[in-house]
Amino acid sequence: MTYNRMEATPIAGEHGRFCGDASAPLVKTPCCQQWICCDTAFVSFRGGRRCQVEHERFSLCYSHYEDQHGGPWERCQKCRDFWTPREYKTYAENPINWPRY
Protein backbone atom coordinates (compact mmCIF):
# COMPACT_ATOMS: atom_id res chain seq x y z
CA MET A 1 0.00 0.00 0.00
CA THR A 2 1.27 3.45 -0.83
CA TYR A 3 0.10 7.03 -0.63
CA ASN A 4 2.90 8.14 -2.98
CA ARG A 5 1.69 8.49 -6.57
CA MET A 6 5.20 7.92 -7.92
CA GLU A 7 5.17 4.42 -6.38
CA ALA A 8 1.68 3.55 -7.59
CA THR A 9 1.15 0.38 -9.59
CA PRO A 10 -1.92 -1.61 -10.63
CA ILE A 11 -2.84 -4.06 -7.86
CA ALA A 12 -4.22 -7.48 -8.71
CA GLY A 13 -7.74 -7.87 -7.39
CA GLU A 14 -8.15 -4.15 -6.63
CA HIS A 15 -9.73 -1.31 -8.57
CA GLY A 16 -10.22 2.43 -8.27
CA ARG A 17 -13.11 2.96 -5.86
CA PHE A 18 -14.26 6.11 -7.63
CA CYS A 19 -13.97 5.06 -11.29
CA GLY A 20 -13.81 1.26 -11.15
CA ASP A 21 -10.60 1.08 -13.24
CA ALA A 22 -8.80 -2.19 -12.44
CA SER A 23 -5.82 -1.52 -14.71
CA ALA A 24 -4.79 1.92 -13.41
CA PRO A 25 -1.98 2.59 -10.95
CA LEU A 26 -3.53 2.86 -7.48
CA VAL A 27 -2.77 4.67 -4.24
CA LYS A 28 -4.70 4.95 -0.98
CA THR A 29 -6.29 8.27 -0.20
CA PRO A 30 -4.98 9.64 3.10
CA CYS A 31 -8.38 11.13 3.90
CA CYS A 32 -10.82 8.24 3.43
CA GLN A 33 -8.47 5.27 2.90
CA GLN A 34 -9.90 4.32 -0.50
CA TRP A 35 -7.98 2.90 -3.46
CA ILE A 36 -7.88 5.62 -6.07
CA CYS A 37 -6.36 5.75 -9.54
CA CYS A 38 -3.57 8.24 -10.02
CA ASP A 39 -1.14 9.77 -12.46
CA THR A 40 2.43 8.56 -12.10
CA ALA A 41 4.04 11.21 -14.35
CA PHE A 42 6.78 13.23 -12.65
CA VAL A 43 5.13 16.51 -13.67
CA SER A 44 1.43 16.58 -14.33
CA PHE A 45 -0.60 19.76 -14.22
CA ARG A 46 -3.93 18.12 -14.95
CA GLY A 47 -3.44 14.84 -13.11
CA GLY A 48 -3.71 12.74 -16.24
CA ARG A 49 -7.51 12.77 -15.87
CA ARG A 50 -7.26 10.46 -12.91
CA CYS A 51 -9.43 10.35 -9.80
CA GLN A 52 -6.65 11.33 -7.40
CA VAL A 53 -6.34 14.88 -8.67
CA GLU A 54 -10.13 15.24 -8.84
CA HIS A 55 -10.53 14.01 -5.26
CA GLU A 56 -7.79 16.31 -3.98
CA ARG A 57 -9.09 19.38 -5.80
CA PHE A 58 -12.86 19.03 -5.78
CA SER A 59 -13.94 17.09 -2.70
CA LEU A 60 -14.84 18.19 0.79
CA CYS A 61 -13.44 14.88 1.98
CA TYR A 62 -9.84 15.82 1.11
CA SER A 63 -10.25 19.49 2.08
CA HIS A 64 -11.55 18.44 5.50
CA TYR A 65 -8.55 16.10 5.91
CA GLU A 66 -5.99 18.71 4.79
CA ASP A 67 -7.42 21.29 7.19
CA GLN A 68 -7.07 18.69 9.98
CA HIS A 69 -10.68 18.89 11.12
CA GLY A 70 -11.92 16.06 13.31
CA GLY A 71 -14.72 13.61 12.58
CA PRO A 72 -16.48 13.02 9.27
CA TRP A 73 -16.63 15.90 6.80
CA GLU A 74 -20.42 15.49 6.46
CA ARG A 75 -20.91 16.77 10.02
CA CYS A 76 -18.10 19.34 10.15
CA GLN A 77 -19.24 22.83 11.10
CA LYS A 78 -15.77 24.27 10.37
CA CYS A 79 -16.11 23.16 6.75
CA ARG A 80 -19.61 24.60 6.49
CA ASP A 81 -18.43 27.91 7.91
CA PHE A 82 -15.37 28.10 5.65
CA TRP A 83 -17.10 27.58 2.29
CA THR A 84 -19.89 29.78 0.95
CA PRO A 85 -23.22 27.92 0.85
CA ARG A 86 -22.94 27.66 -2.94
CA GLU A 87 -19.35 26.32 -2.83
CA TYR A 88 -20.23 23.88 -0.04
CA LYS A 89 -23.18 22.53 -2.01
CA THR A 90 -21.06 22.19 -5.18
CA TYR A 91 -18.24 20.34 -3.42
CA ALA A 92 -20.52 18.27 -1.20
CA GLU A 93 -22.58 17.02 -4.14
CA ASN A 94 -19.54 16.16 -6.26
CA PRO A 95 -19.51 12.38 -6.82
CA ILE A 96 -15.74 12.32 -6.16
CA ASN A 97 -16.59 12.55 -2.43
CA TRP A 98 -17.95 8.98 -2.28
CA PRO A 99 -16.63 5.68 -3.58
CA ARG A 100 -18.96 4.09 -6.13
CA TYR A 101 -17.26 0.74 -6.73
Side-chain angles (χ1 to χ4, degrees):
M1 175 183 78
T2 184
Y3 297 106
N4 182 345
R5 70 181 179 87
M6 297 305 293
E7 297 173 1
T9 59
I11 300 170
E14 289 293 345
H15 59 275
R17 297 293 191 255
F18 295 88
C19 67
D21 191 341
S23 63
L26 300 174
V27 293
K28 280 271 186 164
T29 59
C31 47
C32 56
Q33 300 298 305
Q34 298 294 322
W35 287 113
I36 195 164
C37 67
C38 71
D39 181 17
T40 56
F42 181 69
V43 176
S44 175
F45 297 106
R46 307 262 317 145
R49 299 175 61 129
R50 297 293 193 175
C51 295
Q52 181 186 27
V53 75
E54 296 293 317
H55 191 69
E56 290 175 1
R57 291 190 66 213
F58 302 114
S59 75
L60 285 175
C61 179
Y62 191 80
S63 173
H64 175 80
Y65 165 80
E66 277 295 300
D67 291 340
Q68 299 178 345
H69 297 168
W73 68 264
E74 296 92 338
R75 293 192 299 259
C76 182
Q77 190 60 45
K78 289 179 185 178
C79 288
R80 286 185 183 274
D81 293 341
F82 177 78
W83 300 99
T84 66
R86 182 178 177 184
E87 290 170 328
Y88 186 88
K89 182 179 187 319
T90 298
Y91 288 124
E93 292 177 353
N94 190 328
I96 203 70
N97 275 303
W98 300 282
R100 292 177 292 191
Y101 299 92

